[in-house]
Amino acid sequence: MEWEFDRVTFDREFPRGVVTKLLVERAEHGGWELDRVRITSDGTRRVVLRRKIIRAVRTA
């Protein structure tokens, strides 16, 4: 199984609710799922999203 990854960074000024809404939108409309969240010492959130890569197999 292959995965595609996307890294997103949010400043500390973004409230938790806003970050949640943005990530939910990406999950619902883009097929992304949460892989990892890291909150740094300065309050920056570094988020890694992933989704499966589906390869079309040619038949015939």
Side-chain angles (χ1 to χ4, degrees):
M1 185 177 316
E2 292 184 57
W3 295 96
E4 176 183 4
F5 292 93
D6 188 20
R7 290 172 174 78
V8 184
T9 304
F10 297 100
D11 284 337
R12 65 181 297 167
E13 286 81 27
F14 283 97
R16 185 176 180 182
V18 172
V19 173
T20 301
K21 285 181 183 179
L22 291 172
L23 293 176
V24 166
E25 270 187 39
R26 303 249 341 221
E28 289 179 350
H29 299 292
W32 294 97
E33 62 184 46
L34 190 63
D35 183 51
R36 185 173 304 139
V37 176
R38 182 175 212 174
I39 301 175
T40 60
S41 59
D42 66 349
T44 302
R45 292 179 182 92
R46 293 186 180 157
V47 179
V48 179
L49 303 169
R50 70 179 184 179
R51 67 178 168 187
K52 292 180 188 177
I53 297 176
I54 301 172
R55 304 244 186 244
V57 178
R58 199 172 150 173
T59 59

